[in-house]
């Protein structure tokens, strides 16, 4: 069986090198940030790396959607920081993109991973107090533009909000706040840094009251 690229239609392996798929060069997958994102099935970071790397930024959201089997709207959400909800969808997307290696339970094993992968741990900023949120189901992360410095009073947007609605748990942070989310066999763990003592955290009750 020959696996064809969903974007260019050329085979990823085998056949004459002249006609082989070069949409995502092999060395791109070796980038440390991208490799770690692949291992942890962080599809949001994978898409952002693809869109920023000099050798893959020519690929549009539509092209990445075609290759990964996702919709263009989902690729757009991933690029904007909303992590994928389904482990299985992330695995299928990585396979469609041609990531080296294979799925290994709730993780992805790269060819050079000779030892079993350790349990996922939140990569928090050393020396900075953080809030950690654990959930038995995946956590969406929505990254917003930072608030306007000229805005004051009650109209100022909150830096962080954690909402639980029909779509599941959702962490909303602005671009200035360090954050992370890790998928695990028992669900997901998300964190965000408390970089300002006066930072205000909005609860779902407060968010509902505003609307």
């Amino acid at each position: 069986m020959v696996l064809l690229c969903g974007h260019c239609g050329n085979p990823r392996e085998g056949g004459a090198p002249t006609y082989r798929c070069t949409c995502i060069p092999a060395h791109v997958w070796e980038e440390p940030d991208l490799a770690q994102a692949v291992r942890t099935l962080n599809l949001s970071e994978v898409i952002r790396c693809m869109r920023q790397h000099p050798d893959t930024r020519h690929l549009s959201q539509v092209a990445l959607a075609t290759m990964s089997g996702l919709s263009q709207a989902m690729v757009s959400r991933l690029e904007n920081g909303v992590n994928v909800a389904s482990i299985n969808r992330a695995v299928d997307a990585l396979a469609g993109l041609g990531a080296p290696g294979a799925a290994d339970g709730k993780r992805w094993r790269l060819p050079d991973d000779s030892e079993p992968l350790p349990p996922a741990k939140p990569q928090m900023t050393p020396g900075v107090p953080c809030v950690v949120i654990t959930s038995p189901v995946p956590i969406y992360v929505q990254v917003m533009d930072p608030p306007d410095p000229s805005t004051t009073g009650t109209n100022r947007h909150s830096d962080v909000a954690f909402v639980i609605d029909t779509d599941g748990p959702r962490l909303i942070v602005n671009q200035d706040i360090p954050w992370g989310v890790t998928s695990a066999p028992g669900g997901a763990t998300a964190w965000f840094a408390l970089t300002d003592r006066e930072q205000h955290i909005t609860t779902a009750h407060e968010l509902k009251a505003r609307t």
Side-chain angles (χ1 to χ4, degrees):
M1 184 178 72
V2 177
L3 182 63
L4 302 179
C5 172
H7 178 55
C8 68
N10 292 330
R12 290 215 171 95
E13 297 178 356
T18 306
Y19 302 103
R20 201 170 297 159
C21 168
T22 57
C23 293
I24 303 178
H27 70 268
V28 173
W29 296 106
E30 298 172 0
E31 295 287 336
D33 290 346
L34 180 56
Q36 182 60 19
V38 170
R39 288 186 180 97
T40 57
L41 298 179
N42 186 344
L43 196 54
S44 177
E45 185 63 22
V46 170
I47 294 297
R48 282 184 286 182
C49 287
M50 291 293 176
R51 294 281 285 160
Q52 295 171 8
H53 195 282
D55 293 333
T56 54
R57 61 188 177 196
H58 65 281
L59 295 171
S60 66
Q61 290 182 351
V62 173
L64 290 174
T66 301
M67 297 170 71
S68 63
L70 303 171
S71 67
Q72 188 272 331
M74 175 58 82
V75 171
S76 177
R77 292 176 65 197
L78 289 165
E79 187 177 355
N80 287 325
V82 181
N83 210 356
V84 70
S86 168
I87 297 287
N88 292 334
R89 182 177 292 182
V91 167
D92 291 343
L94 287 175
L97 290 169
D104 182 15
K106 303 294 183 179
R107 291 298 200 85
W108 186 279
R109 184 183 294 277
L110 294 174
D112 58 349
D113 291 332
S114 57
E115 298 296 329
L117 295 172
K121 295 181 180 180
Q123 300 297 312
M124 292 176 277
T125 306
V128 177
C130 298
V131 173
V132 179
I133 303 168
T134 58
S135 168
V137 296
I139 299 175
Y140 288 99
V141 178
Q142 182 177 354
V143 180
M144 307 293 289
D145 291 332
D148 186 344
S150 63
T151 305
T152 57
T154 57
N155 292 328
R156 184 186 185 277
H157 293 297
S158 300
D159 291 324
V160 180
F162 184 68
V163 181
I164 300 177
D165 51 27
T166 55
D167 293 328
R170 182 158 43 101
L171 176 64
I172 305 172
V173 297
N174 77 45
Q175 294 179 359
D176 296 333
I177 304 298
W179 63 274
V181 63
T182 304
S183 299
T189 300
W191 65 270
F192 61 88
L194 296 175
T195 56
D196 187 341
R197 291 183 60 185
E198 296 180 359
Q199 182 183 70
H200 177 66
I201 302 172
T202 302
T203 63
H205 177 73
E206 291 172 319
L207 204 64
K208 183 176 181 181
R210 291 183 184 180
T211 58

